[in-house]
Amino acid sequence: MEKQKKIALINDMSCLGRCSLTVAMPIVSACGFEAVPLPTGIFSAHTEFEGFVCADLTDKMQDITEHWKQLNTRFDGICTGYIATKEQADIVKRFLIDFKKSDTFCVVDPVMGDNGAFYKRIDEDFVNEMRFFCSMADVIVPNVTEAEMLAGIDCTKPPYSIDHIKEVMLKLCNIGAPKIVITGIESEDGQIGCAVYDSFTKKANMFFTPKTDGRFPGSGDVFTATLTAALMNGKDFFDAVQIAMGYTCECVEKTAESGSDRKYGLAFEPLLGKLIKAVK
């Protein structure tokens, strides 16, 4: 049996409401990898639930990474998500410098905002930190708002024109990430999709699908985890994006059909069997 690859997952842990690590870990594990979490914080439930409580793990993150260094731990992949503060960003920056080797595949989801607005505590200094992370990544997965922030363009709200997305993508290329996926593009004709660019081949494409109305918390985490797993299983970049998009959309559709409270996230678990076949 081939040696199992390890993927470090840097994100928060929301105990209730499927998102962040509670999404990434089972998806990555099901696709054949050892999921190694580095939690930035633990939430009783994600932030769309009223009255949630949170434990900030900034003080422990450095201790955890120092222990891993003592154990001579090596990672085949790294995937970063929600980072709460500048102090955490400094720790993750050091983590990337210490653990990202020439053969370590790195995906950065620069979580900073959505729908034309910054999340709380995000400012221009934090955006600069994310630009550094993106420069070290093999693939970056910003949504449109985050892509605009990284590109230094004023944030807009959907729907988005194709010309605007092209402008954002061109400026985003200057950051240095070899491969870019801009997610959450709501088009003027009512579809949703993503824009993709590979700087090695100079190829670009856009993929769209009919949009299901309403919010689906955690859908971006499902997409990023699936994309990471597909790429680390050797899938072609553009094929991997379509696999991630197809799986996420099917999870959205099944969740909507079930009539369950969408705050609890996507019902991705029943569809993991289909995903495993798709990424292998």
Side-chain angles (χ1 to χ4, degrees):
M1 178 176 155
E2 185 179 350
K3 183 179 177 182
Q4 192 176 24
K5 293 181 178 179
K6 289 183 174 67
I7 303 179
L9 301 170
I10 305 173
N11 212 330
D12 70 271
M13 170 74 80
S14 291
C15 301
L16 188 64
R18 286 164 286 196
C19 67
S20 54
L21 286 175
T22 52
V23 164
M25 290 182 67
I27 289 176
V28 163
S29 297
C31 292
F33 303 101
E34 180 182 349
V36 183
L38 177 58
T40 58
I42 298 180
F43 291 74
S44 58
H46 67 69
T47 56
E48 292 194 18
F49 286 87
E50 293 184 8
F52 69 87
V53 296
C54 172
D56 186 304
L57 296 183
T58 303
D59 292 342
K60 298 300 181 184
M61 290 173 66
Q62 191 63 51
D63 294 340
I64 292 169
T65 58
E66 287 300 323
H67 186 221
W68 289 349
K69 286 167 66 175
Q70 292 170 17
L71 296 173
N72 294 316
T73 306
R74 289 183 61 88
F75 294 106
D76 303 282
I78 299 170
C79 183
T80 74
Y82 178 67
I83 299 166
T85 63
K86 173 69 163 57
E87 187 177 1
Q88 287 189 355
D90 289 339
I91 294 170
V92 177
K93 181 189 297 185
R94 172 52 55 186
F95 180 92
L96 292 175
I97 292 170
D98 288 341
F99 287 96
K100 189 181 185 308
K101 310 304 181 185
S102 59
D103 59 348
T104 306
F105 189 76
C106 181
V107 177
V108 169
D109 182 357
V111 180
M112 297 185 291
D114 198 8
N115 199 32
F118 285 87
Y119 293 143
K120 290 180 180 179
R121 296 190 289 187
I122 304 298
D123 57 19
E124 189 56 39
D125 288 340
F126 196 90
V127 175
N128 286 331
E129 293 288 346
M130 281 299 175
R131 290 189 180 111
F132 176 81
F133 293 163
C134 291
S135 72
M136 294 189 70
D138 295 287
V139 178
I140 62 173
V141 195
N143 62 33
V144 179
T145 297
E146 292 155 351
E148 291 169 332
M149 293 174 181
L150 293 167
I153 294 175
D154 289 340
C155 293
T156 58
K157 291 188 176 183
Y160 306 103
S161 70
I162 300 301
D163 287 341
H164 178 68
I165 297 301
K166 287 180 179 178
E167 178 190 4
V168 173
M169 184 69 83
L170 285 171
K171 293 192 175 181
L172 201 54
C173 290
N174 295 329
I175 292 176
K179 297 177 180 179
I180 301 167
V181 184
I182 301 178
T183 65
I185 302 173
E186 296 184 37
S187 67
E188 293 171 316
D189 62 356
Q191 298 194 93
I192 191 164
C194 54
V196 188
Y197 178 72
D198 185 337
S199 66
F200 294 124
T201 62
K202 306 299 181 185
K203 291 182 179 179
N205 209 335
M206 299 185 81
F207 304 110
F208 285 96
T209 189
K211 184 178 184 297
T212 303
D213 291 336
R215 280 186 52 75
F216 292 88
S219 55
D221 297 312
V222 170
F223 180 92
T224 299
T226 305
L227 177 66
T228 301
L231 289 169
M232 288 199 61
N233 268 308
K235 292 296 182 181
D236 169 80
F237 179 47
F238 290 88
D239 290 344
V241 172
Q242 289 181 293
I243 288 170
M245 187 172 165
Y247 179 64
T248 305
C249 289
E250 189 167 2
C251 291
V252 166
E253 291 167 5
K254 294 297 183 184
T255 303
E257 290 171 3
S258 73
S260 60
D261 188 338
R262 297 179 184 183
K263 277 198 304 186
Y264 289 90
L266 299 187
F268 68 91
E269 300 93 341
L271 297 170
L272 279 173
K274 292 182 68 174
L275 174 62
I276 293 167
K277 292 178 181 178
V279 301
K280 294 296 186 180

